[in-house]
């Protein structure tokens, strides 16, 4: 994967659509459901302990139907390597590495089912 594939150039949170859109430097655009992001949260609390934080997330979480409505209060870049999402319920401890987010891209091209 090229460095541009994991360098975000645009972030857009859409509360009505319940999606986060990331535009990447290589021109690709990824659209993630809030529910999928919450299910994929990489923090120790959500993953069930520090030992499970490095385990990969099954990208199918982005295909599952949404059961709840979420609020995103803030999107915070964490250095040049990750995104921190501040959720409406105060949860904010998960850092989504850019490489991981690009790997979770739910579009047909990235999933191999274009």
């Amino acid at each position: 994967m090229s460095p541009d594939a994991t360098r975000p150039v645009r972030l857009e949170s859409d509360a009505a659509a319940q999606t986060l859109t990331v535009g990447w430097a290589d021109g690709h655009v990824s659209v993630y459901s809030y529910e999928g992001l919450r299910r994929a949260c990489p923090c120790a609390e959500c993953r069930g302990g520090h030992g499970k934080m490095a385990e990969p997330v099954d990208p199918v979480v982005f295909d599952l139907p949404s059961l709840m409505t979420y609020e995103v209060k803030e999107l915070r870049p964490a250095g040049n390597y990750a995104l921190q999402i501040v959720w409406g319920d105060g949860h904010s401890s998960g850092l989504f590495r850019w490489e991981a987010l690009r790997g979770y891209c739910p579009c047909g091209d990235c999933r191999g089912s274009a």
Side-chain angles (χ1 to χ4, degrees):
M1 191 177 295
S2 78
D4 282 347
T6 58
R7 186 170 53 88
V9 293
R10 181 174 64 92
L11 293 174
E12 181 180 318
S13 181
D14 185 331
Q18 291 282 285
T19 58
L20 170 68
T21 301
V22 179
W24 304 99
D26 68 353
H28 190 73
V29 175
S30 301
V31 180
Y32 306 93
S33 68
Y34 285 176
E35 178 114 6
L37 289 166
R38 193 60 189 255
R39 288 177 179 161
C41 181
C43 80
E45 178 184 354
C46 292
R47 302 292 293 179
H50 289 282
K52 295 183 179 182
M53 287 174 58
E55 292 179 9
V57 172
D58 188 340
V60 77
V61 299
F62 293 96
D63 298 333
L64 299 172
S66 292
L67 302 174
M68 296 180 60
T69 300
Y70 294 91
E71 177 186 7
V72 171
K73 289 202 173 258
E74 189 177 354
L75 300 172
R76 295 180 185 158
N80 291 323
Y81 71 96
L83 173 68
Q84 180 182 24
I85 301 173
V86 179
W87 298 95
D89 63 1
H91 185 67
S92 64
S93 54
L95 294 178
F96 292 86
R97 295 183 66 84
W98 296 120
E99 293 87 359
L101 271 178
R102 182 62 186 256
Y104 298 153
C105 182
C107 81
D109 288 340
C110 292
R111 293 280 184 93
S113 62

